[in-house]
Amino acid sequence: MNRRASKAAGGAAQSRSDATTTLHGVVIAAHGRHYLVAPDDGGAPLQCFPRGKKSEVAVGDRVDYQSTSADQGVIVAIGERRNLLYRSDQFKSKLFAANLDQLLIVLATEPHFSEDLLGRALVAAEANGLKPIILLNKIDLEAALPLARQRLERYRALGYTVLEVSEKKHPEEAHAILCAHLYGHQTILLGQSGMGKSTLVNLLIPDAEAATREISTALNSGRHTTTFTRLYKLPKTDDEGSQGGALIDSPGFQEFGLYHLTEGTLERAFPEFRPLLAHCRFYNCHHLHEPGCAVLEAVEDGRIAPERHALYAQLVHEISQVVR
Ligand SMILES: Nc1nc2c(ncn2[C@@H]2O[C@H](COP(=O)(O)OP(=O)(O)OP(=O)(O)O)[C@@H](O)[C@H]2O)c(=O)[nH]1
Ligand SMILES: [Mg+2]
Ligand SMILES: [Zn+2]
């Protein structure tokens, strides 16, 4: 049946089962080579496979697809992306999501969060032009709170937004704070396992039923609760100006390689380096050992934290390992 004929036959349901008709939707979940696509016409999500061997589809992608059965389809084209967030090592890359506005880095007082991963997530946000927001969750765990706050002081000083909530103990307060920052934007939640990403999704989107740790414990299914990346549309609220948006929940991770970045992108991803870059003696300064380096001088006299420069040096080292 051609497009005209299917139109004549009438109805979206008819054309959706027509393999030659190209339909449009958004990828809302990715698990291996399985993708869930939410059709633009508001129909139920259907399971899709990408055409061809390489699966480079990401959650948040706009796609053209053709249905192969009532609840399955094949992705035939990926729409142009505003951005694509991913991590990489020397050998492979792993997609997080596409077409994002913000990156919410979810940390907690407990378990102890990794500052290395926090620093890398900030660099990834800067490199992709995404607004990073740091969230400290579980502030009800008072014994661990002072240290967590102290560790985040540096990032506040750099100008990053740092929010503090207790999703479990003070859900109404948390709800208000989070809505103010998340409504109207497409935001990915990144963080180590157990920080409270899925709890946050459930707080803002009650019918998301994102599995939290309790559920996984009940099912005895291991440490990592969330096993795939999934997009949830924010419900429209009554108060005017709230425009929906979406949250993308992702599995907790332990590594955040950024081997695909260039040195030029890296140096600009550190906001405290930026005003100094024009003042290095050599225009192609690597800010590692060069004489007359304005960045190294700032490290020397305490304007730049040595830990931040060490992260920069480590990332430069890592990208130099890649054969381009
Ligand atoms: N004390 C306390 N516990 C919390 C809070 N928020 C979440 N938790 C608990 O922290 C645990 C982990 O929460 P999840 O939302 O599953 O964490 P996650 O970041 O999604 O973890 P992964 O899916 O494994 O990446 C659960 O037992 C939650 O109940 C909080 O504000 N205070
Ligand atoms: Mg989770
Ligand atoms: Zn320099």
Side-chain angles (χ1 to χ4, degrees):
M1 203 190 296
N2 63 26
R3 193 180 291 247
R4 210 204 261 137
S6 85
K7 213 172 175 184
Q14 193 122 15
S15 62
R16 275 181 70 187
S17 60
D18 178 349
T20 62
T21 304
T22 300
L23 300 156
H24 311 286
V26 174
V27 176
I28 58 165
H31 189 48
R33 275 175 57 79
H34 298 226
Y35 301 95
L36 216 52
V37 173
D40 282 355
D41 69 12
L46 68 168
Q47 197 181 54
C48 288
F49 301 91
R51 180 176 279 173
K53 261 194 177 164
K54 271 191 127 186
S55 58
E56 293 191 342
V57 186
V59 169
D61 264 331
R62 293 207 50 80
V63 291
D64 297 343
Y65 68 95
Q66 294 170 349
S67 46
T68 50
S69 72
D71 57 359
Q72 288 204 341
V74 53
I75 294 168
V76 295
I78 303 171
E80 202 181 315
R81 289 164 173 152
R82 282 192 285 141
N83 49 52
L84 176 67
L85 186 71
Y86 63 101
R87 60 190 159 109
S88 60
D89 59 24
Q90 286 120 300
F91 311 108
K92 58 184 187 319
S93 54
K94 186 160 171 22
L95 307 187
F96 282 123
N99 301 319
L100 299 164
D101 302 315
Q102 305 191 123
L103 198 170
L104 184 72
I105 304 163
V106 184
L107 310 174
T109 49
E110 270 174 26
H112 195 75
F113 64 82
S114 155
E115 227 171 304
D116 177 65
L117 289 176
L118 166 60
R120 286 166 185 265
L122 289 171
V123 166
E126 299 275 358
N128 281 284
L130 307 177
K131 182 183 176 180
I133 302 173
I134 300 169
L135 177 69
L136 178 64
N137 182 31
K138 309 196 194 181
I139 58 170
D140 54 288
L141 301 177
E142 285 169 20
L145 183 56
L147 177 62
R149 275 197 179 135
Q150 188 197 323
R151 295 173 75 210
L152 290 175
E153 202 41 57
R154 172 181 305 153
Y155 303 91
R156 284 188 202 272
L158 286 173
Y160 289 117
T161 303
V162 181
L163 308 176
E164 292 189 358
V165 298
S166 169
E167 294 165 2
K168 281 284 280 273
K169 274 274 166 64
H170 303 289
E172 291 89 5
E173 248 179 276
H175 189 273
I177 292 171
L178 292 166
C179 282
H181 286 87
L182 301 180
Y183 258 88
H185 308 287
Q186 182 127 307
T187 306
I188 184 160
L189 280 51
L190 289 186
Q192 291 155 270
S193 190
M195 297 293 166
K197 298 180 293 296
S198 300
T199 306
L200 189 162
V201 171
N202 286 328
L203 180 65
L204 267 61
I205 308 172
D207 59 1
E209 289 173 5
T212 54
R213 188 173 289 271
E214 286 88 339
I215 298 169
S216 90
T217 308
L219 296 175
N220 204 6
S221 63
R223 219 166 64 81
H224 292 265
T225 312
T226 305
T227 54
F228 56 90
T229 305
R230 168 119 202 201
L231 181 149
Y232 301 90
K233 287 220 166 295
L234 282 162
K236 293 209 163 53
T237 54
D238 310 333
D239 44 326
E240 229 134 332
S242 295
Q243 285 298 318
L247 300 181
I248 299 176
D249 193 10
S250 71
F253 56 83
Q254 290 299 326
E255 272 163 39
F256 201 152
L258 292 165
Y259 285 70
H260 56 288
L261 297 184
T262 63
E263 218 178 293
T265 306
L266 269 184
E267 64 178 15
R268 304 204 63 77
F270 287 76
E272 66 270 54
F273 290 15
R274 272 182 229 140
L276 304 170
L277 296 175
H279 302 288
C280 295
R281 185 180 304 163
F282 303 111
Y283 79 94
N284 59 349
C285 185
H286 301 293
H287 325 299
L288 293 173
H289 314 288
E290 291 77 1
C293 170
V295 172
L296 290 175
E297 279 166 16
V299 176
E300 278 295 303
D301 66 23
R303 281 172 291 144
I304 289 179
E307 294 87 349
R308 291 276 293 169
H309 184 264
L311 174 62
Y312 165 78
Q314 174 62 25
L315 293 172
V316 169
H317 170 72
E318 289 176 12
I319 63 174
S320 74
Q321 306 297 299
V322 183
V323 184
R324 289 180 197 271

